[in-house]
């Protein structure tokens, strides 16, 4: 019992060490669990929301629309749980200028169901639900009315609507016929406000990705019920995969489950249905031609019958006149002796005429009568016209037959998963980047915690040296004696860890979720505790601190009890390196020499203090480095890399009108016409080195920029072309400006995409253009680029890639129209005027009907932000500052406790309290300065590795630390050291020289 009481008394006496260890553990566990928990809560809530709304696992699109036969084929794929055929239509309306929207049918199979936020779901024809973004932009509310106009060629199926087939309603009995494109009501009434599960961006917050991405996206989405929607052709099919809902949508296991189904669709169903669909279109086209020929033959036959009937009637009239004239001639030639009866008989009988005589009489009669001549001419003209029409129709039909195969392009399917959804991929990349930081920083906290625990516990054991020897001499086992310190450290870790779990699973996640909810809408988010991760987090620090405590105990207890009960002999005096530099040493005062000896003679204290302070300073610098890097991304990209001031994009049909409009405004000083398409860059793991990294894989959404062959040299005037090469630890080297040229041997890939996929110069990648055509391309160079994923290609190389017959997966997939010259649908231009005028001009251009998108680089440079990263940086800097404060407090108290007798001696020698303060604090300040000097470059080094940790789509973090950040980190650390002095000075004042100098013997 006495042993326990003494142990508790010892614990109470060492409360400062207890608090230090507990605080370090608290901070470490909070950092370890907090960022993880915040991201996990966001992941889980989003996953639950996706499952509740039935967000599709796979989406299938087709250039020719999808028929019931396609839907039936998808239902038969192994692993598919449910298939929903969807109809949509693009419409336009007037909202401060021309705006576009997608009318989306609300599916009846529970897939991609919008989440109701206000009002009710639409049920009747003409009712719609809109997103909060539309409500905010339009100023409309529930009950407002809206009239929309269907866009011509609003979908990829518009060119084939009249030649498609219709399948049975059950998707099994296929019949040839005509499919109709989806059509929605145009007189609309808003009845509800919903959240689109495919896009969780918060319209009232800030979207991090403000750069231009797609040339085909509509502004809004309107959700309508099936009532009032017509059309038997589907624009897409959405699928749910068996077992996918049981997996987290952000885990690799989910991706593997879905990939098995997409591979099956790509493997057999896709190819078979593409061929079958095109054959159906050909059959439907042939049937139309056959029907047209039959209809034409029937019309021609009817016309011929009419002409024949008219001619027969005409001939009968002429023959009647011929007969009358022949009879009259016969009656006049009767003999003079005939009786009246014979004469009558002769007059009643038509004389028999040979065919030649009759035909001669016909021609004579017709020629003598203008009416009969005109009638005969009309009949002959009608017959001639009919013959010409028949020949022309037959020639037209034969031409249609010969051109049918070339006029119907190859049908292409696009099988996409959730990664193709912009809202999903943006949320996932944001959370993954933050989670990667949460996995890296706790390591530094753990190292510092072990170092401080070793320092504190080693001093605690050393102070009880004689007591330990006494207990061992009395027969207590070394394990029992060591348990006094092990339990002390364990209890401190458990209390600190428990508080750290509260901060880690409640405080930090709540803070992160507040920031996240400003960027994304996440219904039903809640804070959850992870028992396994939380327990392992505490266990990690418990093991580290206990290991340090065991080491300290072993170092002391390996001696005999007699040696332990005697005071520890002072360290032998020795010279330090500075003493050997006589010109310097001779000019140092007495107290300065004492300080120098105290600093360098006690190596362990020097290493612990400098290492602890350097680690904390490095964390602060690293956090500020992230902030500086993110703050300069927009400026570097839109002012340094992009030399142009304006990018204007239009539809292909409006390209000429767009260029005329921009040119007529007189604001452009120089320009470059280009073609911009939204596509994909894919690297398939091959392990042969052709794809950058052996075995690398992945896909990235890109902006494909084709440059006219005659203006390849002008690209360098609009975009800064600088080659980059991969360096060590994720860093990169940047080449000389202007040393990179675009040619016909390959494409230039943006650094942001190349870094994410491991692509380098000489790699082979698979490009997908705006039409979905894929081809394998060579990467000639990687260009410095921080935001967005641009891929530059020459006009000639573009044609070689996407027009060649041997392009991968595109054989015979291009129609004759596709092989024509490229349409330059975009313009890069330099403008005159200030940044404000350039921004206003870009906004005015977007109101023009010929302009799809106008982007001002000045506006992008000023408005680009990354709020989520800024919040995490603030959190890391705050935690690093707290760690620095705890470390300095622990080291200062350990320093004082080690030198109580020394301080007492100084007081006996006549040192005033202020002089004692100066004597002790000067050493701590020098050690702190040394730690800061070491921590500043260490922080820059660690910050330079962030490029590997923050591997985000469309973003490359070119790490930069501003001089002010170094100053802030140094000043903050020194301020913490001065703050610690305020706590240490009273401790020095309370030292009693008499009791402190008593002999322990």
């Amino acid at each position: 019992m006495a042993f326990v009481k003494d142990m508790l008394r010892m614990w109470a006496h060492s409360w400062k060490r207890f608090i230090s260890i507990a605080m370090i553990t608290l901070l470490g566990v909070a950092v370890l669990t907090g960022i993880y928990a915040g991201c996990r809560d966001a992941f889980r809530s989003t996953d639950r929301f996706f499952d509740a709304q039935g967000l599709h696992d796979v989406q299938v699109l087709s250039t020719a629309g999808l028929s019931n036969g396609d839907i039936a084929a998808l239902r038969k794929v192994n692993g598919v749980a449910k298939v929903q055929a969807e109809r949509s239509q693009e419409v336009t309306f007037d909202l401060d200028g021309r705006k576009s929207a997608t009318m989306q049918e609300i599916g009846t199979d529970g897939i991609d169901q919008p989440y109701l936020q206000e009002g009710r779901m639409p049920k009747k024809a003409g009712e719609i639900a809109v997103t909060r973004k539309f409500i905010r932009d339009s100023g409309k509310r529930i009950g407002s009315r809206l009239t929309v106009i269907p866009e011509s060629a609003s979908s990829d199926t518009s060119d084939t609507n009249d030649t498609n087939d219709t399948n049975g309603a059950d998707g099994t009995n296929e019949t040839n016929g005509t499919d109709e494109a989806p059509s929605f009501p145009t007189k609309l009434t808003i009845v509800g406000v919903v959240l689109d599960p495919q896009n969780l961006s918060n319209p009232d917050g800030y979207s991090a990705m403000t750069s231009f991405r797609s040339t085909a996206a509509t502004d809004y989405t309107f959700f309508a019920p099936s009532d009032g929607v017509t059309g038997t052709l589907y624009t897409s099919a959405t699928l749910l995969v068996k077992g996918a809902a049981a997996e987290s949508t952000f885990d690799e296991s989910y991706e593997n489950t879905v990939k098995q189904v997409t591979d099956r669709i790509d493997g057999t169903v896709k190819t078979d249905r593409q061929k079958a669909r095109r054959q159906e279109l050909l059959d439907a086209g042939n049937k139309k031609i056959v029907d047209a020929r039959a209809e034409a033959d029937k019309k021609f036959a009817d016309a011929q019958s009419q002409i024949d009937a008219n001619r027969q009637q005409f001939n009968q009239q002429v023959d009647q006149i011929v007969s009358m004239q022949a009879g009259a001639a016969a009656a006049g030639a009767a003999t003079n002796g005939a009786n009246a009866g014979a004469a009558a008989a002769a007059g009643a009988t038509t004389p028999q005429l040979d065919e030649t005589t009759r035909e001669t009489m016909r021609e004579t009669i017709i020629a003598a009568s203008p009416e009969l001549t005109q009638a005969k001419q009309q009949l002959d003209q009608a017959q001639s016209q009919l013959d010409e029409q028949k020949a022309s129709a037959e020639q037209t039909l034969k031409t249609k037959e010969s051109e049918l195969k070339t006029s119907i392009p190859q049908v292409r399917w696009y099988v996409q998963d959730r990664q193709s959804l912009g809202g999903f991929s943006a949320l996932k990349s944001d959370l993954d980047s933050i989670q990667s930081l949460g996995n890296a920083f706790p390591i530094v906290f753990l190292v510092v915690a072990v170092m401080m625990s070793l320092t504190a516990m080693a001093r605690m054991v050393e102070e009880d040296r004689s007591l330990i020897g006494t207990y061992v001499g009395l027969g207590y086992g070394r394990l029992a004696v060591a348990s006094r310190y092990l339990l002390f450290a364990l209890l401190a870790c458990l209390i600190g860890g428990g508080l750290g779990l509260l901060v880690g699973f409640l405080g930090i996640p709540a803070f992160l979720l507040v920031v996240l909810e400003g960027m994304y809408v996440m219904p039903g988010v809640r804070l959850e505790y992870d028992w396994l991760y939380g327990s392992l987090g505490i266990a990690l620090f418990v093991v580290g601190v206990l290991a340090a405590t065991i080491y300290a105990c072993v170092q002391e207890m390996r001696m005999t009890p007699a040696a332990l009960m005697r005071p520890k002999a002072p360290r032998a005096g020795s010279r330090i390196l500075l003493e050997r530099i006589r010109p310097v040493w001779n000019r140092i005062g007495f107290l300065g020499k004492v300080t120098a000896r105290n600093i360098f003679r006690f190596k362990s204290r020097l290493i612990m203090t400098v290492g602890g302070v350097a680690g904390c300073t490095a964390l602060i610098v690293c956090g500020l480095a992230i902030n500086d890097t993110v703050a300069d991304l927009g400026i570097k990209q839109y002012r340094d890399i992009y030399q142009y001031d304006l990018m204007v994009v239009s539809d292909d049909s409006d390209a000429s009108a767009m260029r005329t409009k921009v040119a007529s405004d007189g604001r452009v000083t120089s320009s470059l016409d280009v073609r911009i398409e939204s596509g994909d860059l894919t690297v398939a793991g091959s392990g042969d080195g052709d794809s950058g990294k052996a075995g690398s894989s992945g896909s990235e959404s890109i902006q494909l920029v084709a440059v006219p062959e005659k203006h390849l040299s002008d690209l360098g005037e609009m975009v800064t072309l600088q080659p980059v090469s991969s360096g060590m630890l994720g860093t990169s080297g940047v080449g000389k400006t202007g040393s990179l040229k675009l040619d016909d041997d390959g494409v230039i890939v943006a650094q942001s995409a190349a870094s994410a996929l491991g692509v380098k110069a000489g790699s082979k990648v698979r490009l997908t253009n705006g039409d979905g055509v894929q081809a394998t391309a060579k990467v000639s160079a990687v260009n410095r680029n921080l935001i967005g994923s641009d891929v530059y290609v020459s006009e000639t190389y573009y044609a070689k890639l996407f027009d060649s017959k041997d392009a991968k997966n595109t054989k015979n997939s291009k129609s004759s129209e596709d092989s024509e010259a490229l349409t330059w649908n975009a313009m890069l231009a330099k403008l005159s005027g200030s940044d404000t005028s350039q921004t206003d001009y870009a906004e005015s251009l977007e109101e023009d009907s010929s302009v799809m998108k106008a982007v001002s680089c000045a506006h992008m440079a000023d408005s680009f932000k990354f709020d989520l990263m800024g919040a995490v940086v603030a959190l890391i800097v705050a935690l690093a500052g707290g760690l620095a404060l705890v470390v300095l407090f622990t080291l200062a108290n350990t320093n004082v406790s080690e030198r109580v007798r020394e301080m007492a001696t100084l007081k006996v020698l006549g040192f005033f309290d202020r002089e004692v303060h100066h004597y002790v604090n000067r050493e701590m300040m020098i050690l702190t300065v040394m730690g800061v000097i070491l921590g500043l470059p260490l922080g820059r080094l660690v910050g330079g590795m962030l490029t590997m940790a923050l591997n985000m789509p469309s973003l490359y973090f070119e790490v930069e630390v501003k001089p002010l950040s170094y100053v802030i980190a140094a000043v903050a650390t020194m301020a913490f050291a001065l703050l610690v002095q305020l706590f240490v000075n009273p401790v020095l004042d309370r030292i009693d020289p008499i009791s402190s100098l008593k002999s322990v013997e």
Side-chain angles (χ1 to χ4, degrees):
M1 190 63 184
F3 181 81
V4 175
K5 287 183 179 180
D6 184 61
M7 180 177 66
L8 296 177
R9 189 181 298 111
M10 181 266 295
W11 287 5
H13 180 71
S14 303
W15 64 272
K16 293 180 182 179
R17 293 191 182 96
F18 188 91
I19 292 177
S20 297
I21 296 175
M23 286 298 299
I24 292 177
T25 306
L26 185 154
L27 292 173
V29 172
V31 172
L32 179 66
T33 59
I35 298 177
Y36 158 82
C39 295
R40 187 207 54 170
D41 292 341
F43 278 139
R44 288 191 174 184
S45 64
T46 306
D47 182 61
R48 288 193 300 267
F49 175 73
F50 287 158
D51 292 340
Q53 304 309 123
L55 182 65
H56 67 262
D57 299 313
V58 180
Q59 184 181 43
V60 178
L61 303 171
S62 172
T63 56
L66 297 173
S67 65
N68 287 328
D70 296 327
I71 304 301
L74 290 172
R75 287 195 176 104
K76 297 177 182 179
V77 176
N78 183 26
V80 173
K82 188 181 295 185
V83 179
Q84 176 175 285
E86 296 186 344
R87 294 178 290 185
S88 63
Q89 182 184 30
E90 292 185 11
V91 297
T92 60
F93 55 93
D94 186 17
L95 181 64
D96 296 331
R98 182 174 178 268
K99 296 292 184 181
S100 62
T102 298
M103 296 289 297
Q104 179 68 48
E105 178 186 16
I106 300 176
T108 58
D109 293 319
I111 302 179
D112 288 344
Q113 298 296 297
Y115 176 78
L116 183 63
Q117 294 179 301
E118 185 179 348
R120 63 176 178 85
M121 296 297 291
K123 299 179 180 178
K124 301 178 183 179
E127 295 181 343
I128 60 169
V130 300
T131 60
R132 191 167 296 280
K133 177 185 177 184
F134 176 77
I135 294 293
R136 185 199 63 180
D137 294 347
S138 66
K140 296 183 180 297
R141 60 181 183 275
I142 294 178
S144 299
R145 298 183 182 276
L146 181 68
T147 301
V148 298
I149 302 173
E151 283 191 355
S152 59
S154 61
S155 68
D156 292 334
T157 64
S158 60
D159 294 333
T160 58
N161 291 338
D162 296 332
T163 59
N164 294 335
D165 71 308
T166 302
N167 297 329
D170 58 357
T172 58
N173 300 322
E174 300 184 7
T175 60
N176 291 331
T178 301
D179 282 337
E180 296 180 359
S183 178
F184 287 73
T186 57
K187 304 290 186 180
L188 308 175
T189 302
I190 301 174
V191 298
V193 179
V194 297
L195 173 65
D196 186 356
Q198 299 186 30
N199 184 8
L200 301 183
S201 298
N202 187 352
D204 299 320
Y206 180 83
S207 178
M209 301 304 171
T210 56
S211 57
F212 172 75
R213 285 183 176 275
S214 174
T215 63
T218 55
D219 298 309
Y220 308 101
T221 301
F222 299 158
F223 296 90
S226 299
D227 187 19
V229 182
T230 60
T232 56
L233 196 64
Y234 306 112
T235 51
S236 66
T238 51
L239 290 69
L240 294 181
V241 176
K242 293 180 181 178
E247 305 288 346
S248 174
T249 185
F250 301 98
D251 290 346
E252 187 177 354
S253 58
Y254 167 83
E255 296 178 1
N256 294 335
T257 301
V258 173
K259 188 175 184 301
Q260 294 176 2
V261 175
T262 57
D263 288 345
R264 294 189 189 110
I265 296 175
D266 285 329
T268 56
V269 179
K270 176 180 177 179
T271 304
D272 294 342
R273 289 308 304 173
Q274 285 179 161
K275 293 179 180 179
R277 184 63 176 148
R278 186 169 188 271
Q279 188 60 47
E280 290 168 1
L281 297 179
L282 292 173
D283 293 342
N286 286 323
K287 185 177 183 300
K288 285 195 64 178
I289 294 175
V290 171
D291 293 343
R293 177 177 279 110
E295 184 179 356
D297 290 343
K298 183 177 181 302
K299 290 181 179 180
F300 291 145
D302 293 341
Q304 186 65 56
S305 298
Q306 184 66 36
I307 293 174
D308 291 344
N310 292 336
R311 188 176 294 281
Q312 183 179 3
Q313 184 180 359
F314 175 80
N315 290 336
Q316 288 176 353
Q317 292 177 357
V318 174
D319 288 342
Q320 186 177 2
I321 295 174
V322 170
S323 298
M324 290 175 61
Q325 290 182 356
T335 60
N336 293 327
N339 55 28
T349 303
T350 302
Q352 297 294 326
L353 302 176
D354 59 82
E355 188 63 31
T356 303
T357 303
R358 184 177 291 276
E359 186 62 32
T360 302
M361 291 181 68
R362 286 196 189 102
E363 294 177 358
T364 302
I365 292 171
I366 293 172
S369 173
E371 292 81 0
L372 293 177
T373 301
Q374 183 179 3
K376 184 176 184 300
Q377 289 176 352
Q378 289 177 349
L379 288 173
D380 292 341
Q381 184 178 2
Q383 184 65 52
S384 176
Q385 290 177 352
L386 180 62
D387 292 340
E388 290 178 1
Q389 290 176 359
K390 289 174 65 176
S392 176
E394 184 63 26
Q395 181 62 36
T396 300
L397 292 174
K398 288 182 178 180
T399 302
K400 290 290 185 182
E401 286 179 339
S402 62
E403 293 179 351
L404 182 61
K405 288 188 176 182
T406 57
S407 63
I408 297 180
Q410 294 290 333
V411 176
R412 292 193 295 272
W413 271 27
Y414 305 120
V415 183
Q416 303 172 338
D417 55 19
R418 291 182 181 177
Q419 296 291 340
S420 63
L421 300 177
F424 176 87
S425 59
L427 174 63
K428 185 176 186 297
S429 63
D430 284 347
L431 293 178
D432 283 343
S433 64
I434 302 308
Q435 197 168 33
S436 64
L437 290 178
N439 295 334
F441 280 98
I443 298 175
V444 180
F445 280 79
L446 177 62
V447 172
V448 173
V450 171
M451 291 175 59
M452 295 304 102
S453 300
L454 179 60
T455 301
M457 296 310 299
R459 179 56 194 166
M460 186 176 180
V461 172
E462 186 177 338
E463 287 179 351
D464 290 346
R465 174 187 175 91
S466 60
L467 186 59
I468 293 173
T470 302
Y471 276 124
V472 174
L474 292 174
Y476 287 89
R478 282 179 165 78
L479 180 60
V481 176
S483 65
R484 292 159 51 94
Y485 311 100
L486 293 176
L487 292 175
F488 176 86
L490 177 62
L491 184 61
C493 284
L494 292 178
I495 293 177
L499 295 175
L501 291 180
L502 292 178
V503 176
F505 284 98
L506 294 178
I508 295 178
F511 168 76
L512 291 178
L513 291 176
V514 168
V515 180
L516 280 171
E517 288 176 344
M519 301 174 63
Y520 303 98
V521 180
M522 296 180 291
V525 63
R526 62 174 182 263
L527 303 179
E528 300 180 26
Y529 180 71
D530 188 335
W531 288 98
L532 178 61
Y533 196 87
S535 301
L536 291 177
I538 294 180
L540 184 64
F541 282 85
V542 166
V543 170
V545 173
L546 288 183
T549 306
I550 292 173
Y551 176 80
C553 292
V554 169
Q555 290 295 105
E556 293 292 337
M557 294 185 184
R558 63 185 178 182
M559 292 184 285
T560 62
L564 288 172
M565 285 186 285
R566 294 184 58 83
K568 189 174 182 180
R571 295 190 58 178
S574 61
R575 289 189 175 186
I576 61 175
L577 179 62
L578 190 60
E579 293 186 51
R580 305 183 186 278
I581 308 176
R582 304 307 299 181
V584 177
W585 184 257
N586 291 335
R587 287 171 174 77
I588 299 177
F590 172 75
L591 291 181
K593 294 178 178 179
V594 172
T595 300
R597 288 194 178 102
N598 288 335
I599 289 175
F600 294 104
R601 284 181 61 200
F602 300 97
K603 301 291 191 304
S604 60
R605 187 173 66 193
L606 171 66
I607 295 174
M608 292 297 178
T609 304
V610 173
V613 173
C616 298
T617 305
L619 283 178
I620 298 176
V621 172
C622 192
L624 295 175
I626 302 175
N627 184 69
D628 293 342
T629 300
V630 173
D632 283 349
L633 279 179
I635 297 175
K636 289 181 178 180
Q637 180 67 37
Y638 298 108
R639 295 194 184 277
D640 297 342
I641 297 177
Y642 287 165
Q643 296 296 310
Y644 60 84
D645 302 313
L646 177 71
M647 178 176 69
V648 190
V649 183
S650 70
D651 285 324
D652 287 356
S653 58
D654 297 328
S656 178
M658 177 269 292
R659 287 194 292 271
T660 302
K661 164 65 178 173
V662 175
S664 64
D665 291 337
R667 296 291 305 275
V668 176
T669 59
S670 62
S671 65
L672 174 64
D673 293 336
V674 296
R675 177 168 183 80
I676 292 181
E677 300 176 355
S678 295
D680 291 297
L681 185 148
T682 305
V683 176
S686 60
D688 57 2
D690 290 339
S691 54
K693 294 179 181 179
S696 61
S697 62
S699 178
E700 181 85 6
S701 297
I702 62 169
Q703 187 169 276
L704 188 62
V705 182
V707 183
E709 196 68 25
K710 296 180 180 179
H711 300 284
L712 294 180
S713 60
D714 296 338
L715 179 62
E717 298 179 4
M718 295 295 172
V719 180
T720 301
L721 299 178
Q722 288 181 273
V724 294
S725 57
S726 300
M728 296 180 60
L729 301 176
T731 59
S732 61
V734 181
K736 183 181 179 181
T737 302
S739 60
L740 183 59
K741 301 292 183 183
L742 180 63
D743 52 34
D744 300 332
D745 295 332
V747 298
I748 297 178
V749 179
Q751 184 180 14
S752 47
S755 175
L757 299 177
V759 173
K760 60 183 180 181
S763 299
K764 295 292 182 65
V765 297
R766 188 165 66 250
L767 291 178
T768 304
N769 69 354
D771 294 328
V773 182
Q774 295 181 345
T776 300
K778 176 185 176 183
V779 178
S780 61
V782 176
N783 182 50
R784 178 173 176 253
N785 197 85
L786 308 180
I787 302 175
S789 299
D790 298 332
V791 174
Y792 300 101
V793 57
S794 67
E795 180 182 6
T796 301
Y797 196 59
Y798 182 98
K800 179 181 178 182
L801 290 176
F802 300 112
D803 289 346
S804 60
K805 294 183 178 180
D806 58 350
K808 187 175 182 180
N809 295 333
T810 62
K811 186 176 181 179
N812 298 326
S813 65
K814 300 288 288 181
S815 66
S816 58
E817 296 179 357
D818 293 332
S819 59
E820 297 177 358
L822 291 177
T823 300
W824 308 112
N825 67 338
M827 174 188 291
L828 308 180
K830 293 183 179 181
L831 302 177
S832 59
S834 63
D835 290 350
T836 303
S837 65
Q838 292 177 8
T839 301
D840 295 340
Y841 178 60
E843 293 177 355
S844 66
L845 280 178
E846 287 200 326
E847 298 177 1
D848 190 89
S849 59
S850 64
V851 176
M852 177 185 295
K853 189 72 174 179
V855 180
S856 168
C857 287
H859 173 70
M860 297 300 293
D862 295 337
S863 62
F864 182 85
K865 295 180 181 178
F866 202 165
D867 291 347
L868 180 58
M869 190 64 72
V872 175
V873 166
L875 177 65
I876 291 175
V877 171
L879 292 174
L883 181 64
L885 185 61
V886 174
V887 166
L888 290 170
F889 179 80
T890 303
L891 293 172
N893 276 282
T894 302
N895 184 37
V896 171
S897 64
E898 288 178 342
R899 304 167 64 184
V900 170
R901 293 174 66 85
E902 181 182 352
M903 300 301 105
T905 302
L906 292 177
K907 287 189 175 185
V908 170
L909 292 176
F911 279 65
F912 292 103
D913 288 343
R914 182 177 300 178
E915 293 175 320
V916 175
H917 297 169
H918 181 69
Y919 177 82
V920 175
N921 293 332
R922 181 168 54 181
E923 295 180 16
M924 284 301 301
M925 291 302 294
I926 293 176
L927 290 173
T928 302
V929 170
M930 295 171 63
V932 168
I933 294 175
L934 180 62
L936 293 179
L938 179 63
R940 178 61 182 85
L941 177 62
V942 175
M945 302 178 188
L946 292 177
T947 300
M948 291 189 299
L950 301 175
N951 195 6
M952 298 176 60
S954 302
L955 281 179
Y956 180 82
F957 290 89
E958 191 176 71
V959 179
E960 177 178 343
V961 185
K962 296 181 179 178
L964 181 60
S965 296
Y966 289 117
V967 174
I968 292 175
V971 170
T973 306
M974 298 305 296
F976 290 141
L978 294 175
L979 180 62
V980 168
Q981 291 181 12
L982 300 179
F983 295 99
V984 174
N985 290 341
V987 177
L988 295 174
D989 295 340
R990 288 194 296 269
I991 294 178
D992 182 15
I994 298 177
S995 60
S996 300
L997 291 176
K998 286 182 179 179
S999 174
V1000 294
E1001 297 178 316

